[in-house]
Amino acid sequence: MSASQPVLAQDAAADCVDANENGVCDSDENTDRAIVVTGSRISRPTLESSVPLTSVSVGELTDTGDVSLGDALNDLPSLRSTFSQGNSTRFIGTAGLNILDLRGLGISRTLVLVNGKRHVTALPGDYLVDVNTIPVDLLERVDVVTGGNSAIYGSDAVAGVVNFITKRNFDGLSLRAQGGISSRGDRGNVFVSGTWGKNFADGRGNIAISGEYAESEPLYFTDRDGLTGAYSGRCQYQQTDRTTDELQAGDGIPDSTFLCGINNATLSDGGTLGAIDGVAAARRRYLRFGPSGDLFIDTPDDSFSDIGSTGNQQGGQGSTLRNTGQLAAGLKRYAVNLLAHYDVSDAFRPFIEAKYVRVNAVQEGQPSFWQGSLKGFFANTQEQFDAIPELRCNNPFLTSQALATMQSFGLCTNVATGTFTMSRFNPDFGGRGEYHTRETYRVVGGVEGTFNDDWNYELSLNYGRLDTKMRSLNNLKLYDTEGNLDGFLLAIDPVRNTAGQIVCRVNADADPSNDRPDCVPINVFGNGAPSAEALNFINTTSTREERAEQFVALASVAGDLSQLFELPGGPIGFALGAEYREEKAFSFYDDLVESGGTFLNAIAPFTPPKLSVKEAFGEISIPLLANMPLAEELTLGAAARVSDYNTSAGTVWAYNLQALYAPIPDVRFRAAYARSVRTPTQSDLFSPFSENFAQILDPCDVARINNGPNRVANCAAAGVPVGFINTPANSQTTGFLSGGNPTLQNEIGKSLTLGVVVEPSFLPGFNFTVDYYKIKVESLISALGAQQIINLCYDSDAGIDNVFCATVQRDANGFFIEPAVISGGVNFAAQKTEGIDFDVQYRRTFDNGHRLNFRAIATHLLRLDNFTDPLNAAIPNRQMSELGDPRWAANASINYDFGELDISWTTRYIGKQTIGAYETQNSYNGACPASGTVPISGATCTPGAIIVLPPTNIDAFDRVYYPDAFYHGFRANLEVDKKFNFYVGMDNVFDKQPPLGLLGTAAGDPYDTFGRYFYAGIRASW
């Protein structure tokens, strides 16, 4: 558990060595010293903040068995598990990344800083920081600020800021080693670090060097069959209702129930020829190849084929689809950090921060596969469609039993010329894996100082660079760079030569100019049938190289006007500055991938132009009153920033307004309003068009043309004939293009925060904080999907001369021409969220010297809505209560220190979350559109009025929610001779497993994957 603590006026006492009987610090440290608080550039006399600010000490984050700093932060209620170690393998090239998502508004709307400065990205073209690059044992704390902070720090701080603060004057030598392993003997991890620091020149200078090594073993689906069903079949919700279901009212019978032993019906690991029963059969049988290559009839316990196109069966020999893949990526991290400063004088203090971090990540995903026709599945052009062979009945790898069985079912009656189709999941080809090497370099250097008695300045340069190399393993080779058949599409067509040997057909024809001596024929009939030589020929290791560079120049000055005048509350504080930033990026795959010659889509090089921005900012703090009756403090503040981008973002303003009021020392009220921005990134603007495939349901098809009031007219205007059936689109995936949009504009965020901090003088060591936040993001960049664009095209009441139809392509007969559509980002969407944070802490030192520390934090989410439907802009897509965004989340910890021994107990709570979309089984609110008719339900209403929409399918599942969950942890520390500290601990003490088929790998899935976990370590300090 990671328990957070708010930044309060008396928090300096929490870190002192000696405290009085009430737990209050008795040290001589001046808690009124001027410091810089995250969220402001003005030095303040106390650790008070007018915005919600939570500070997490490094100990609270690292006192677990998990060596991932990002995963520990994701356990905080305010952060969503969008990019954890478990779910980082969802996309190509992201395995092992930890990227933060504050308030569930998206990783691109959370600004991550190190010591108040920007950090180079982990994904070229986007400005997202991998938390794995942050030093652990040189870290002091992490500050989390909720609400817009673009006026202080620039673009991207829409949801807030996460600022990593490193130690500044580390003196001594510290060594730490830790190891851990799950109760099942897997997911072992190791962490080793050493930090050395030295104060010199009578404390005017300091240098600190830290080195760290961390390793976490990968955890595969096959390691946890009981959780994943890698061998025994998946546990999941499966459609089981065999009655007619009224979608709005429901028939009282759940459409889907939770079952185990679920396999794919049409795909198998040895190959499936197809079903031998009609779709109405409750136990639809399939003809499959067994491991030896013989055919057998697979009879499942239930095929569900009479219910709908679920594609699953219970029992039987279909593929589980999980005999490759990972629950968590493997990770190795090497990090070296340097911090140094030297105070030549108060007016001239040069400093430097430097780091090198190397991260190696290992990912395994699904293998290659195909379904049905080889031509239909693999062809990208008509020429390729004509050239690709189907499986032939005279394939020499077919056993006599298999051929006879096929003929008994009417297949291959003409062995010499006949062909057939098959579907196959290819785990014996090897899981498609990724080996990543990411190297991050960062240097921040500059000078700072004070002048004019109480003014300070900073001049700094910040350079960061990311170099990545990825090897994509077991990528199926299909074509050469010219689009000619190669690899698998040659090996899949074997024949016997005149000597009776099985060879590739390309080597058996009469034209020697076509020979491919390297071609090795492949046997795809049966699991494990392909030879190692054939696999070497059909698979290729693809490569990708990337680089990102960031350069920031900053000049700032801050101080107060005490030498001119003071208000009743003190002098006016100010900060002024200018900043210049550049972002460079590129990414490219090898020529074969770029040409579309592999199982991956064709991926063009990403070489966007440099992004640059010139910025000026200012901040002011006006202390109106202080130390007066009913006005212990009354301070107003404001900040503004103007930014000029060299992209379509142009010139943009951001600003903050803040207030802090303390009627008495025990109670402080705070409020802030901010206008923030997120400018489109290089990826948003310039991502190259890439080929994708999806099952696109044609709205002009006769089966769907009456599903919208404008479809008949619009489809006719597009030249689609009456009664049209789009057979290709109905039976197979359709190609489309997606890419960047260079005309995108800025996203605008508006946030309001209100809070109260209570530190009762009659109860020293206790404080309580409540903060309300409300954030709205307008003109949000959202990428419309291919299906959505095509639907919008033909559902528009403006005819087909609309922006959505502009990129839809059909031939004269009405069929899609690939690419069927071009999709990209558009500034049309919106997000709204609001919630309440609670934070309570109590610390006390008893007469016998024992100490008690208790802390609990919680977030109550009141709203999290996305508005991403252009046709129903007032109807929200509710994200709150769905997976990853519970209404309630909380952490709590209690520590009791006996002196040499201290013990801790931690608890993490995750509230219930809906199994499907919230709207599926719950009514939800929306606003009546200007037309006065709700497109979703057809109901009429008063424009602008709040309406309650019914569930879309009230009996979709046999229950509505995943249950709430508690996770508990235990840790004991033994201090020996003030130099050595031994500790042992256990996470997830009660071995809580993810509920109802979840794995902890889906987007936002907050559940623990590893189960009960043991760890132990030692720390030595001199």
Side-chain angles (χ1 to χ4, degrees):
M1 195 244 23
S2 299
S4 68
Q5 52 186 345
V7 173
L8 305 172
Q10 295 180 358
D11 271 4
D15 297 323
C16 67
V17 176
D18 297 312
N20 63 23
E21 66 276 7
N22 294 315
V24 179
C25 186
D26 284 335
S27 73
D28 294 330
E29 183 180 6
N30 180 11
T31 59
D32 289 334
R33 69 192 186 283
I35 66 165
V36 175
V37 177
T38 301
S40 173
R41 294 181 183 272
I42 298 176
S43 299
R44 301 182 184 275
T46 61
L47 289 177
E48 296 176 354
S49 173
S50 55
V51 295
L53 193 158
T54 299
S55 188
V56 186
S57 72
V58 65
E60 293 170 317
L61 290 172
T62 59
D63 286 355
T64 68
D66 194 345
V67 298
S68 168
L69 186 61
D71 281 1
L73 278 166
N74 280 340
D75 286 347
L76 292 175
S78 59
L79 288 161
R80 186 177 191 268
S81 295
T82 301
F83 255 97
S84 65
Q85 288 299 292
N87 60 32
S88 66
T89 60
R90 290 177 294 136
F91 307 107
I92 295 174
T94 62
L97 294 179
N98 270 115
I99 302 174
L100 302 179
D101 182 357
L102 184 60
R103 302 300 177 191
L105 292 178
I107 55 177
S108 60
R109 297 173 192 92
T110 300
L111 180 61
V112 174
L113 307 172
V114 176
N115 294 325
K117 296 178 175 59
R118 286 182 177 264
H119 191 285
V120 66
T121 183
L123 291 172
D126 294 296
Y127 317 129
L128 306 169
V129 178
D130 181 8
V131 177
N132 289 316
T133 63
I134 307 298
V136 175
D137 277 9
L138 202 55
L139 190 65
E140 181 176 288
R141 70 179 194 275
V142 181
D143 291 346
V144 180
V145 178
T146 294
N149 262 268
S150 290
I152 306 298
Y153 299 113
S155 176
D156 306 333
V158 175
V161 171
V162 180
N163 189 13
F164 292 85
I165 309 297
T166 58
K167 298 172 182 176
R168 182 167 174 83
N169 289 298
F170 185 86
D171 189 52
L173 175 64
S174 176
L175 303 175
R176 183 162 76 97
Q178 176 178 312
I181 195 166
S182 79
S183 61
R184 293 162 180 81
D186 52 27
R187 189 56 176 182
N189 67 50
V190 173
F191 178 86
V192 179
S193 72
T195 303
W196 173 85
K198 179 67 175 177
N199 290 322
F200 59 91
D202 297 325
R204 290 186 297 147
N206 178 268
I207 183 171
I209 301 174
S210 175
E212 296 177 355
Y213 170 77
E215 179 178 358
S216 295
E217 294 179 350
L219 185 62
Y220 296 94
F221 286 162
T222 52
D223 294 332
R224 298 285 184 95
D225 177 68
L227 177 64
T228 66
Y231 303 115
S232 58
R234 308 185 302 273
C235 292
Q236 65 179 55
Y237 268 93
Q238 172 63 44
Q239 189 173 351
T240 53
D241 185 3
R242 287 181 161 88
T243 64
T244 300
D245 184 14
E246 300 174 11
L247 294 181
Q248 291 293 331
D251 59 7
I253 300 175
D255 295 347
S256 296
T257 52
F258 184 71
L259 299 174
C260 289
I262 301 298
N263 300 321
N264 188 275
T266 58
L267 284 173
S268 63
D269 299 342
T272 297
L273 292 180
I276 60 176
D277 298 306
V279 296
R283 301 179 67 191
R284 193 182 195 192
R285 297 170 297 167
Y286 286 84
L287 198 59
R288 308 192 194 278
F289 285 95
S292 65
D294 289 343
L295 280 169
F296 71 98
I297 296 174
D298 179 26
T299 304
D301 299 328
D302 195 337
S303 69
F304 314 112
S305 58
D306 57 327
I307 301 174
S309 56
T310 66
N312 291 329
Q313 64 182 29
Q314 187 176 33
Q317 299 300 311
S319 177
T320 69
L321 305 183
R322 287 182 177 169
N323 43 12
T324 63
Q326 283 179 320
L327 289 166
L331 202 71
K332 291 183 180 180
R333 180 172 63 89
Y334 311 82
V336 178
N337 285 265
L338 167 69
L339 298 175
H341 68 88
Y342 182 71
D343 301 348
V344 177
S345 67
D346 289 344
F348 190 76
R349 299 193 295 267
F351 64 88
I352 188 171
E353 302 173 16
K355 71 159 49 171
Y356 169 77
V357 181
R358 176 181 173 132
V359 174
N360 295 334
V362 178
Q363 182 258 352
E364 180 184 81
Q366 285 189 334
S368 59
F369 62 93
W370 81 89
Q371 293 177 284
S373 165
L374 293 172
K375 293 176 178 287
F377 193 81
F378 288 115
N380 298 320
T381 66
Q382 185 63 48
E383 291 78 8
Q384 291 172 352
F385 186 89
D386 295 337
I388 295 174
E390 298 290 7
L391 293 170
R392 302 178 192 267
C393 295
N394 61 4
N395 189 308
F397 287 121
L398 278 173
T399 67
S400 57
Q401 185 272 351
L403 183 59
T405 304
M406 293 169 68
Q407 291 175 332
S408 70
F409 284 96
L411 300 174
C412 289
T413 54
N414 187 329
V415 177
T417 61
T419 61
F420 61 96
T421 61
M422 184 175 81
S423 298
R424 192 178 194 272
F425 200 61
N426 303 322
D428 51 3
F429 287 16
R432 288 182 294 138
E434 295 175 359
Y435 285 167
H436 293 271
T437 298
R438 302 187 183 101
E439 295 181 292
T440 301
Y441 308 81
R442 183 173 183 263
V443 177
V444 179
V447 294
E448 60 185 8
T450 59
F451 64 99
N452 195 30
D453 290 338
D454 49 13
W455 290 23
N456 59 77
Y457 74 94
E458 179 184 320
L459 301 171
S460 65
L461 299 177
N462 178 352
Y463 174 76
R465 192 180 86 197
L466 168 76
D467 290 319
T468 81
K469 294 182 179 179
M470 181 186 77
R471 291 185 295 147
S472 181
L473 308 179
N474 299 320
N475 188 15
L476 201 62
K477 181 168 57 177
L478 304 171
Y479 309 100
D480 63 20
T481 56
E482 302 299 322
N484 303 309
L485 301 192
D486 200 351
F488 175 73
L489 294 179
L490 293 180
I492 196 69
D493 191 20
V495 67
R496 289 192 185 274
N497 62 14
T498 55
Q501 300 169 319
I502 300 177
V503 297
C504 298
R505 188 175 297 271
V506 70
N507 292 328
D509 59 24
D511 185 359
S513 65
N514 294 328
D515 283 0
R516 286 289 302 273
D518 58 335
C519 183
V520 180
I522 189 167
N523 181 0
V524 294
F525 309 121
N527 186 18
S531 68
E533 294 77 12
L535 293 179
N536 288 335
F537 178 69
I538 67 168
N539 284 329
T540 184
T541 297
S542 302
T543 61
R544 185 193 69 180
E545 294 189 13
E546 293 184 320
R547 172 172 290 183
E549 291 184 276
Q550 180 185 77
F551 173 76
V552 184
L554 171 69
S556 66
V557 60
D560 63 52
L561 304 180
S562 58
Q563 296 178 357
L564 299 178
F565 66 93
E566 291 193 16
L567 298 175
I572 293 177
F574 71 91
L576 297 171
E579 195 167 7
Y580 174 77
R581 176 164 60 98
E582 289 183 355
E583 303 280 355
K584 298 179 182 179
F586 75 76
S587 173
F588 63 87
Y589 280 83
D590 59 55
D591 293 342
L592 190 60
V593 173
E594 181 183 344
S595 69
T598 72
F599 194 79
L600 290 173
N601 297 332
I603 304 176
F606 176 47
T607 56
K610 176 181 68 177
L611 180 144
S612 64
V613 55
K614 303 170 185 176
E615 302 181 282
F617 57 86
E619 185 179 0
I620 189 171
S621 176
I622 307 173
L624 297 177
L625 301 172
N627 303 317
M628 299 177 64
L630 297 181
E632 180 67 22
E633 180 181 359
L634 176 59
T635 301
L636 303 180
R641 175 182 288 249
V642 60
S643 306
D644 182 28
Y645 287 82
N646 69 335
T647 66
S648 58
T651 301
V652 61
W653 283 87
Y655 62 82
N656 289 356
L657 300 172
Q658 302 172 356
L660 183 65
Y661 172 57
I664 59 176
D666 296 18
V667 180
R668 291 188 301 279
F669 298 95
R670 55 192 181 191
Y673 177 80
R675 182 186 190 270
S676 55
V677 297
R678 185 184 88 85
T679 58
T681 67
Q682 291 160 295
S683 294
D684 293 329
L685 296 166
F686 306 115
S687 288
F689 287 115
S690 60
E691 182 184 31
N692 291 282
F693 295 89
Q695 192 80 41
I696 297 177
L697 302 178
D698 189 351
C700 294
D701 187 280
V702 67
R704 291 172 287 276
I705 196 168
N706 294 314
N707 292 349
N710 302 311
R711 288 187 178 183
V712 172
N714 288 343
C715 291
V720 179
V722 176
F724 173 72
I725 299 176
N726 197 333
T727 303
N730 291 337
S731 61
Q732 63 191 39
T733 58
T734 301
F736 66 96
L737 293 179
S738 59
N741 179 357
T743 66
L744 289 172
Q745 300 299 303
N746 300 297
E747 296 181 356
I748 304 299
K750 299 177 181 178
S751 63
L752 171 68
T753 58
L754 303 170
V756 59
V757 180
V758 179
E759 294 181 281
S761 56
F762 59 84
L763 187 59
F766 176 84
N767 55 64
F768 178 62
T769 303
V770 180
D771 284 295
Y772 166 82
Y773 65 88
K774 182 177 183 179
I775 304 172
K776 179 180 181 180
V777 188
E778 300 172 326
S779 299
L780 186 139
I781 299 169
S782 181
L784 294 173
Q787 183 71 65
Q788 192 174 13
I789 292 175
I790 290 177
N791 288 349
L792 290 169
C793 165
Y794 298 105
D795 287 337
S796 172
D797 56 9
I800 62 170
D801 293 328
N802 60 70
V803 295
F804 305 109
C805 284
T807 63
V808 178
Q809 300 191 89
R810 294 182 184 271
D811 63 19
N813 298 314
F815 296 102
F816 291 133
I817 300 173
E818 293 191 2
V821 67
I822 298 175
S823 68
V826 184
N827 290 98
F828 75 92
Q831 289 178 311
K832 295 180 181 179
T833 187
E834 57 184 307
I836 303 174
D837 291 332
F838 303 89
D839 200 323
V840 61
Q841 177 179 357
Y842 179 61
R843 295 171 174 171
R844 179 170 181 177
T845 300
F846 298 97
D847 293 341
N848 59 2
H850 292 185
R851 298 182 184 182
L852 172 69
N853 287 321
F854 170 78
R855 185 155 203 85
I857 60 173
T859 292
H860 180 41
L861 192 58
L862 299 174
R863 181 182 191 181
L864 182 54
D865 290 331
N866 301 300
F867 298 83
T868 56
D869 186 347
L871 293 181
N872 301 292
I875 305 298
N877 176 359
R878 174 168 160 163
Q879 185 176 331
M880 180 177 71
S881 302
E882 295 180 349
L883 185 65
D885 301 283
R887 295 201 66 179
W888 280 99
N891 291 352
S893 69
I894 187 168
N895 173 269
Y896 195 88
D897 188 348
F898 295 91
E900 294 180 349
L901 173 69
D902 70 89
I903 57 175
S904 301
W905 186 269
T906 59
T907 299
R908 178 186 175 211
Y909 170 74
I910 303 171
K912 62 182 184 180
Q913 298 150 90
T914 56
I915 293 170
Y918 180 85
E919 296 85 352
T920 302
Q921 293 182 272
N922 295 277
S923 58
Y924 57 105
N925 293 335
C928 180
S931 64
T933 302
V934 183
I936 294 175
S937 64
T940 59
C941 55
T942 303
I946 300 299
I947 56 176
V948 179
L949 298 170
T952 59
N953 189 0
I954 196 170
D955 53 19
F957 305 100
D958 58 2
R959 67 195 80 182
V960 179
Y961 294 97
Y962 294 112
D964 53 9
F966 285 91
Y967 294 98
H968 301 273
F970 170 80
R971 180 181 173 108
N973 298 274
L974 179 63
E975 186 179 81
V976 180
D977 195 27
K978 300 293 184 179
K979 295 181 179 180
F980 298 95
N981 181 282
F982 299 91
Y983 58 89
V984 295
M986 185 190 313
D987 298 335
N988 196 352
V989 172
F990 300 109
D991 200 25
K992 185 78 172 180
Q993 300 295 296
L996 298 173
L998 293 179
L999 303 179
T1001 58
D1005 189 336
Y1007 298 105
D1008 176 82
T1009 298
F1010 308 133
R1012 184 180 293 114
Y1013 201 88
F1014 304 99
Y1015 64 95
I1018 180 173
R1019 183 190 296 273
S1021 301
W1022 292 272

